[in-house]
Amino acid sequence: MDLDRTRRTPLSQDELAAALVRPGGPWRRVEVLPAVGSTNTELLARAEEGEEEGTVLVAEHQTAGRGRLGRGFLTPRGAALTFSLLLRPPVAPDVLGWLPALMGAAAVGAVRRTTGVRAALKWPNDLIVPAGLRAESAETDGKLAGILADADLVAEAPAVVIGMGLNVSQSRGELPVPTAVSLRSEGATALDRSSLLGSFLGEFEELYTVWTAAGGDAEASGLAPLYRDLCSTVGRRITVHLPGGELLDADATGIDEQARLVVTTAAGEKALSVGDVVHVRPRA
């Protein structure tokens, strides 16, 4: 039997909806598309037309997947868990920057519990396996997933669409760059995407419920301490690639109340937002 075929069972929309949608729960609709340009782009367009909160859009194959700063990516059909969520959180706009962090924390919890892979977070939006925790000896962190958020803030009920593409069953040869990894390449054998999605949405629901009940206060809800604990960037010497090609050598010392990365440089301390940076790289 072809190993890849057994690990790339198509997702069942009916089965996912039966398992995930419940009265009073946050997930009101689950839709699986055979192919789509980008789940974030598709769901944001629906949000602008009034789609309700709690829609989960999953794609077997993305033909125009987007990362941060418009970076594109492709994955083999059925090899990744690629999905987006539509949220209309009842919080102030200035705390919405915590949503990618919340999604990352939920992803770490789901991956660790479901597969045993020792995932962590890299600020601002990557799910990684740190170099020292890789299945095989490696000098660099391995990227498992990227997280992207889009927002429609002009609507009466502002919407945030947040998506993730998690590498699940790709072989080493199917991964796009040497620094990318998959759950399979990291030794996981629990590669059922339905189980992974269910685990993730359960983790997300728990964190999101507490965070919104606290009015988006990441400290009071416990989200900020959790994120700091899971973020491998904090405590490292880094090089920050800034727009225009400038490089900033710094020590990453913390995450502030707005989910910004706090760094210390020769010129003093500063806080960097997601929009301030192109790349954050650990220094040797």
Side-chain angles (χ1 to χ4, degrees):
M1 181 178 292
D2 186 331
L3 180 61
D4 286 340
R5 285 184 179 274
T6 65
R7 296 186 177 193
R8 294 182 183 169
T9 303
L11 295 165
S12 167
Q13 179 173 301
D14 290 343
E15 291 178 4
L16 285 171
L20 300 172
V21 178
R22 68 180 193 279
W27 315 118
R28 300 179 183 180
R29 180 183 179 193
V30 179
E31 182 177 351
V32 178
L33 298 178
V36 69
S38 158
T39 54
N40 261 38
T41 300
E42 172 66 20
L43 198 50
L44 185 63
R46 296 186 189 186
E48 292 169 349
E49 295 174 356
E51 180 93 0
E52 65 181 350
E53 180 181 35
T55 296
V56 181
L57 186 65
V58 192
E60 290 284 9
H61 182 54
Q62 282 195 141
T63 59
R66 294 187 297 117
R68 200 171 65 87
L69 301 178
R71 302 175 187 127
F73 63 92
L74 290 172
T75 57
R77 184 179 296 274
L81 178 58
T82 307
F83 65 97
S84 298
L85 315 176
L86 171 55
L87 307 165
R88 298 188 185 273
V91 300
D94 62 355
V95 299
L96 292 176
W98 277 104
L99 274 174
L102 192 156
M103 191 165 196
V108 168
V111 166
R112 289 181 178 181
R113 287 183 174 84
T114 306
T115 72
V117 171
R118 292 177 287 181
L121 296 171
K122 173 189 169 186
W123 188 92
N125 67 336
D126 288 343
L127 183 68
I128 64 166
V129 182
L133 300 178
R134 297 273 298 274
E136 298 179 356
S137 179
E139 295 182 356
T140 60
D141 300 336
K143 181 176 175 178
L144 270 175
I147 295 168
L148 178 68
D150 292 298
D152 172 19
L153 301 180
V154 300
E156 182 177 346
V160 177
V161 171
I162 186 163
M164 181 171 70
L166 173 66
N167 296 328
V168 178
S169 66
Q170 292 98 319
S171 65
R172 169 53 57 191
E174 290 176 312
L175 292 165
V177 293
T179 53
V181 296
S182 69
L183 295 176
R184 175 184 173 185
S185 75
E186 286 301 305
T189 56
L191 300 177
D192 181 77
R193 291 178 299 150
S194 295
S195 296
L196 282 165
L197 181 60
S199 179
F200 167 82
L201 291 177
E203 297 273 349
F204 189 96
E205 176 183 349
E206 182 176 344
L207 294 172
Y208 185 73
T209 299
V210 177
W211 178 71
T212 53
D217 187 326
E219 298 291 350
S221 67
L223 175 59
L226 174 63
Y227 181 83
R228 294 181 186 117
D229 183 58
L230 298 176
C231 183
S232 68
T233 307
V234 175
R236 300 179 82 166
R237 297 183 63 81
I238 59 174
T239 297
V240 182
H241 295 240
L242 302 171
E246 183 183 355
L247 300 180
L248 179 68
D249 291 327
D251 293 315
T253 56
I255 305 294
D256 73 6
E257 69 281 354
Q258 296 179 46
R260 298 178 302 181
L261 180 67
V262 180
V263 299
T264 300
T265 70
E269 187 175 270
K270 66 186 304 181
L272 301 171
S273 68
V274 173
D276 293 332
V277 305
V278 177
H279 291 293
V280 176
R281 306 292 196 202
R283 293 168 60 189

